[in-house]
Amino acid sequence: MRLEELFARHQAELFRYVARFTGDADLAEDVVQDVFVRLAERPPRRDDQMRAWLYRVATNLAVDHARAAKRRLKLVEGRPDRLPMGEPPEDPAARVVRDEERRMVRGALAELSEKERAVLLMREEGFAHREIAEAVGTTTGSVGTMIARALDKLARRLNLDAQHKEDR
């Protein structure tokens, strides 16, 4: 299949996945672009594993970006004058509620391991267990267990956050 066809077929779902995985739409755009650059430079050997390959590369690139961001943050700690300044966010009540819900979900997702986060988000994108197993490097039989455990952890964390919020 040609690169343009693969891009048209997979770009939107891959962007959605990476944006959810990282919580950053701008970073997701960069990661997806890098995935297709890598695809052009060194495509996988087998076309039947293309979707799993794309998600595996996207996950690895997102993790690499997160690690690099942590290293950069360490470099500027104690030097707030070196941090980029952004414009103040809007402050309507609906946005506050939406942002709080997103923060809770992102926080809960961030507490999952990279593998747990990947299997949940791939499941949301409609991947079959076989495809998830190929993408994260595990067996098909363990994918269901990984998903169930990750969902349980996520639900417990979100319930704890909701209870904590009610107690305030």
Side-chain angles (χ1 to χ4, degrees), residues 88-137:
E90 298 175 24
D91 196 25
R95 183 174 177 112
V96 170
V97 170
R98 186 178 62 243
D99 288 349
E100 177 65 15
E101 289 171 348
R102 283 184 178 157
R103 185 197 62 74
M104 288 173 57
V105 171
R106 284 183 183 142
L109 281 170
E111 289 191 8
L112 298 176
S113 72
E114 292 163 356
K115 198 176 260 192
E116 290 169 330
R117 199 165 51 243
V119 298
L120 279 185
L121 295 174
M122 287 178 166
R123 176 181 172 255
E124 285 300 308
E125 289 297 326
F127 274 72
H129 284 206
R130 177 188 51 77
E131 294 173 306
I132 295 171
E134 289 173 12
V136 300

Coordinates of all heavy atoms in Angstrom, one line a residue, residues 88-137:
P88 N -3.0 33.5 29.5 CA -3.8 33.0 30.5 C -5.0 32.3 29.9 O -5.5 32.7 28.8 CB -4.3 34.2 31.3 CG -3.9 35.4 30.5 CD -2.9 35.0 29.5
P89 N -5.4 31.2 30.5 CA -6.6 30.4 29.9 C -7.9 31.1 30.1 O -8.0 32.0 31.0 CB -6.5 29.1 30.7 CG -5.8 29.4 31.9 CD -4.9 30.5 31.6
E90 N -8.9 30.8 29.3 CA -10.2 31.3 29.5 C -10.8 30.8 30.8 O -10.3 29.8 31.3 CB -11.1 30.9 28.3 CG -10.7 31.3 27.0 CD -11.5 30.8 25.9 OE1 -12.7 30.4 26.1 OE2 -11.0 30.7 24.8
D91 N -11.8 31.5 31.3 CA -12.3 31.1 32.6 C -13.8 30.9 32.8 O -14.3 31.1 33.8 CB -11.8 32.1 33.7 CG -11.9 31.6 35.1 OD1 -11.9 30.4 35.3 OD2 -12.0 32.4 36.0
P92 N -14.5 30.5 31.7 CA -15.9 30.3 31.9 C -16.1 29.0 32.7 O -15.3 28.1 32.7 CB -16.5 30.1 30.5 CG -15.3 29.8 29.7 CD -14.1 30.4 30.3
A93 N -17.3 28.9 33.4 CA -17.6 27.8 34.4 C -17.6 26.5 33.6 O -17.0 25.5 34.2 CB -18.9 28.1 35.1
A94 N -18.1 26.4 32.5 CA -18.2 25.1 31.7 C -16.8 24.6 31.4 O -16.5 23.4 31.5 CB -19.0 25.3 30.5
R95 N -15.9 25.5 31.0 CA -14.6 25.1 30.7 C -13.8 24.6 32.0 O -13.1 23.7 31.9 CB -13.8 26.3 30.1 CG -12.4 25.8 29.7 CD -11.7 26.9 28.9 NE -10.4 26.5 28.6 CZ -9.9 26.2 27.4 NH1 -10.7 26.3 26.4 NH2 -8.7 25.8 27.2
V96 N -14.1 25.2 33.1 CA -13.5 24.8 34.3 C -13.9 23.3 34.7 O -13.0 22.5 35.0 CB -13.8 25.7 35.5 CG1 -13.4 25.1 36.8 CG2 -13.2 27.1 35.3
V97 N -15.2 23.1 34.5 CA -15.7 21.7 34.8 C -15.0 20.7 33.8 O -14.5 19.7 34.2 CB -17.2 21.7 34.8 CG1 -17.7 20.2 34.8 CG2 -17.8 22.5 35.9
R98 N -15.1 21.0 32.6 CA -14.5 20.2 31.5 C -13.0 19.9 31.8 O -12.5 18.8 31.7 CB -14.8 20.8 30.2 CG -14.4 19.8 29.0 CD -14.7 20.4 27.6 NE -13.9 21.7 27.4 CZ -14.5 22.8 27.2 NH1 -15.8 23.0 27.2 NH2 -13.8 23.9 27.0
D99 N -12.3 21.0 32.1 CA -10.9 20.9 32.3 C -10.6 20.0 33.5 O -9.6 19.3 33.6 CB -10.2 22.3 32.5 CG -10.1 23.0 31.1 OD1 -10.4 22.4 30.1 OD2 -9.8 24.2 31.2
E100 N -11.4 20.2 34.6 CA -11.2 19.4 35.8 C -11.4 17.9 35.5 O -10.7 17.0 35.9 CB -12.2 19.8 36.9 CG -12.1 19.0 38.2 CD -10.8 19.1 38.9 OE1 -9.9 20.0 38.6 OE2 -10.5 18.2 39.7
E101 N -12.5 17.6 34.7 CA -12.7 16.2 34.4 C -11.6 15.6 33.5 O -11.1 14.5 33.7 CB -14.0 16.1 33.6 CG -15.3 16.3 34.5 CD -16.5 16.4 33.7 OE1 -16.5 16.5 32.4 OE2 -17.6 16.4 34.3
R102 N -11.1 16.4 32.6 CA -10.0 16.0 31.8 C -8.7 15.8 32.6 O -8.0 14.8 32.4 CB -9.6 17.0 30.7 CG -10.6 17.0 29.5 CD -10.2 17.9 28.4 NE -11.1 17.8 27.3 CZ -11.3 18.8 26.4 NH1 -10.6 19.9 26.5 NH2 -12.1 18.6 25.5
R103 N -8.5 16.7 33.6 CA -7.3 16.6 34.5 C -7.4 15.3 35.3 O -6.4 14.6 35.4 CB -7.3 17.8 35.4 CG -6.0 17.8 36.3 CD -6.1 18.7 37.5 NE -7.2 18.3 38.4 CZ -7.1 17.3 39.2 NH1 -6.1 16.5 39.2 NH2 -8.1 17.0 40.0
M104 N -8.6 15.0 35.7 CA -8.8 13.8 36.5 C -8.5 12.5 35.7 O -7.8 11.6 36.1 CB -10.2 13.7 37.1 CG -10.4 14.7 38.3 SD -12.1 14.7 38.8 CE -12.4 13.0 39.3
V105 N -9.0 12.5 34.5 CA -8.8 11.3 33.6 C -7.4 11.2 33.2 O -6.8 10.2 33.2 CB -9.8 11.4 32.4 CG1 -9.4 10.3 31.4 CG2 -11.2 11.2 32.8
R106 N -6.8 12.4 32.8 CA -5.3 12.3 32.4 C -4.5 11.9 33.6 O -3.5 11.2 33.4 CB -4.9 13.7 31.9 CG -5.4 14.0 30.5 CD -4.9 15.3 30.0 NE -5.4 15.5 28.7 CZ -5.8 16.7 28.3 NH1 -5.7 17.8 29.1 NH2 -6.3 16.9 27.1
G107 N -4.8 12.4 34.8 CA -4.0 12.0 36.0 C -4.2 10.5 36.2 O -3.2 9.8 36.6
A108 N -5.4 10.0 36.1 CA -5.6 8.6 36.3 C -4.9 7.8 35.3 O -4.2 6.7 35.6 CB -7.1 8.2 36.3
L109 N -4.9 8.2 34.0 CA -4.2 7.5 32.9 C -2.7 7.6 33.1 O -2.0 6.6 32.9 CB -4.6 8.1 31.6 CG -5.9 7.7 31.0 CD1 -6.2 8.6 29.7 CD2 -5.9 6.2 30.6
A110 N -2.2 8.7 33.6 CA -0.8 8.9 33.8 C -0.2 7.9 34.9 O 0.9 7.6 34.9 CB -0.5 10.3 34.2
E111 N -1.1 7.5 35.8 CA -0.7 6.6 36.9 C -0.6 5.2 36.4 O 0.0 4.3 37.1 CB -1.6 6.7 38.1 CG -1.3 8.0 38.8 CD -2.0 8.1 40.2 OE1 -2.6 7.0 40.6 OE2 -2.0 9.2 40.8
L112 N -1.2 4.9 35.3 CA -1.1 3.5 34.7 C 0.3 3.4 34.1 O 1.0 4.4 33.7 CB -2.1 3.3 33.6 CG -3.6 3.4 34.0 CD1 -4.5 3.3 32.8 CD2 -3.9 2.3 35.1
S113 N 0.8 2.2 33.9 CA 2.0 2.0 33.2 C 1.8 2.3 31.8 O 0.7 2.4 31.3 CB 2.5 0.5 33.4 OG 1.7 -0.3 32.6
E114 N 2.9 2.5 31.1 CA 2.9 2.8 29.6 C 2.1 1.7 28.9 O 1.3 2.0 28.0 CB 4.3 3.0 29.1 CG 4.9 4.3 29.6 CD 6.4 4.3 29.4 OE1 7.0 3.3 28.9 OE2 7.0 5.3 29.8
K115 N 2.4 0.5 29.2 CA 1.8 -0.7 28.6 C 0.2 -0.7 28.9 O -0.6 -0.9 28.0 CB 2.4 -2.0 29.0 CG 2.1 -3.1 28.1 CD 2.9 -4.4 28.5 CE 4.1 -4.5 27.7 NZ 4.7 -5.9 27.9
E116 N -0.1 -0.4 30.1 CA -1.6 -0.4 30.5 C -2.3 0.7 29.7 O -3.4 0.5 29.2 CB -1.7 -0.2 32.0 CG -1.3 -1.4 32.8 CD -1.3 -1.1 34.3 OE1 -1.0 0.0 34.7 OE2 -1.5 -2.1 35.1
R117 N -1.7 1.9 29.7 CA -2.3 3.0 29.0 C -2.4 2.7 27.5 O -3.5 3.0 26.9 CB -1.4 4.3 29.2 CG -2.1 5.5 29.0 CD -1.3 6.7 29.5 NE 0.1 6.8 29.2 CZ 1.1 6.8 30.0 NH1 0.9 6.7 31.3 NH2 2.3 6.9 29.6
A118 N -1.4 2.1 26.9 CA -1.5 1.8 25.5 C -2.6 0.8 25.2 O -3.3 1.0 24.3 CB -0.1 1.2 25.1
V119 N -2.7 -0.3 26.0 CA -3.7 -1.3 25.7 C -5.1 -0.7 25.9 O -6.0 -1.0 25.0 CB -3.6 -2.6 26.6 CG1 -2.3 -3.3 26.3 CG2 -3.8 -2.4 28.0
L120 N -5.3 0.2 26.9 CA -6.7 0.8 27.0 C -7.0 1.7 25.8 O -8.1 1.6 25.3 CB -6.7 1.6 28.3 CG -7.0 0.9 29.6 CD1 -7.1 1.9 30.7 CD2 -8.2 0.0 29.5
L121 N -6.0 2.5 25.4 CA -6.3 3.4 24.4 C -6.4 2.7 23.0 O -7.3 3.1 22.2 CB -5.3 4.5 24.3 CG -5.3 5.4 25.6 CD1 -4.1 6.4 25.6 CD2 -6.6 6.2 25.7
M122 N -5.7 1.7 22.8 CA -5.8 0.9 21.6 C -7.2 0.2 21.5 O -7.8 0.1 20.5 CB -4.7 -0.1 21.4 CG -3.4 0.5 21.1 SD -2.1 -0.7 21.0 CE -0.8 0.2 20.2
R123 N -7.6 -0.3 22.7 CA -8.9 -0.9 22.8 C -10.0 0.1 22.4 O -10.9 -0.2 21.6 CB -9.2 -1.4 24.2 CG -10.6 -2.0 24.4 CD -10.7 -2.4 25.9 NE -12.0 -2.8 26.2 CZ -12.9 -2.1 26.9 NH1 -12.5 -0.9 27.4 NH2 -14.1 -2.5 27.1
E124 N -9.9 1.4 22.9 CA -10.8 2.4 22.5 C -10.8 2.7 21.0 O -11.8 3.2 20.5 CB -10.5 3.7 23.3 CG -10.9 3.6 24.8 CD -12.4 3.4 24.9 OE1 -13.2 4.1 24.3 OE2 -12.8 2.4 25.6
E125 N -9.7 2.5 20.4 CA -9.6 2.7 18.9 C -10.1 1.5 18.1 O -10.0 1.6 16.9 CB -8.1 3.1 18.5 CG -7.7 4.4 19.0 CD -8.5 5.6 18.4 OE1 -8.9 5.5 17.2 OE2 -8.6 6.6 19.1
G126 N -10.5 0.5 18.8 CA -11.1 -0.6 18.1 C -10.1 -1.7 17.7 O -10.5 -2.6 16.8
F127 N -9.0 -1.8 18.3 CA -8.0 -2.8 18.0 C -8.5 -4.2 18.5 O -9.1 -4.2 19.5 CB -6.7 -2.5 18.7 CG -5.8 -1.7 17.9 CD1 -6.0 -0.3 17.8 CD2 -4.6 -2.2 17.3 CE1 -5.2 0.5 17.1 CE2 -3.8 -1.4 16.6 CZ -4.0 0.0 16.5
A128 N -8.2 -5.2 17.8 CA -8.4 -6.6 18.2 C -7.3 -6.9 19.2 O -6.3 -6.3 19.2 CB -8.4 -7.5 17.0
H129 N -7.6 -7.9 20.1 CA -6.6 -8.3 21.1 C -5.3 -8.8 20.4 O -4.2 -8.5 20.9 CB -7.2 -9.4 21.9 CG -8.1 -9.0 23.0 ND1 -8.3 -9.6 24.1 CD2 -8.9 -7.9 23.0 CE1 -9.2 -9.0 24.8 NE2 -9.6 -7.9 24.2
R130 N -5.4 -9.4 19.2 CA -4.2 -9.8 18.5 C -3.4 -8.6 18.1 O -2.1 -8.6 18.2 CB -4.6 -10.6 17.3 CG -3.4 -11.1 16.4 CD -3.9 -11.7 15.1 NE -4.9 -10.9 14.3 CZ -4.6 -9.8 13.6 NH1 -3.3 -9.4 13.6 NH2 -5.5 -9.2 13.0
E131 N -4.0 -7.6 17.6 CA -3.3 -6.4 17.2 C -2.7 -5.7 18.4 O -1.5 -5.2 18.3 CB -4.3 -5.4 16.5 CG -4.8 -5.9 15.2 CD -5.9 -5.0 14.6 OE1 -6.8 -4.7 15.3 OE2 -5.7 -4.6 13.5
I132 N -3.4 -5.6 19.5 CA -2.8 -5.0 20.7 C -1.6 -5.8 21.2 O -0.6 -5.2 21.5 CB -3.9 -4.9 21.8 CG1 -5.0 -4.0 21.4 CG2 -3.3 -4.4 23.1 CD1 -6.2 -4.0 22.4
A133 N -1.7 -7.1 21.2 CA -0.6 -7.9 21.6 C 0.6 -7.7 20.7 O 1.7 -7.5 21.3 CB -1.0 -9.4 21.5
E134 N 0.5 -7.6 19.4 CA 1.6 -7.3 18.5 C 2.2 -5.9 18.8 O 3.4 -5.8 18.8 CB 1.1 -7.4 17.1 CG 0.8 -8.8 16.6 CD 0.2 -8.7 15.2 OE1 0.2 -7.7 14.5 OE2 -0.3 -9.8 14.8
A135 N 1.3 -4.9 19.1 CA 1.8 -3.6 19.3 C 2.6 -3.4 20.6 O 3.5 -2.6 20.6 CB 0.6 -2.6 19.2
V136 N 2.1 -4.1 21.6 CA 2.8 -3.9 22.9 C 3.8 -5.0 23.3 O 4.4 -4.9 24.3 CB 1.8 -3.7 24.1 CG1 0.9 -2.4 23.8 CG2 0.9 -4.9 24.3
G137 N 3.8 -6.0 22.5 CA 4.8 -7.1 22.7 C 4.4 -8.0 23.8 O 5.2 -8.3 24.6

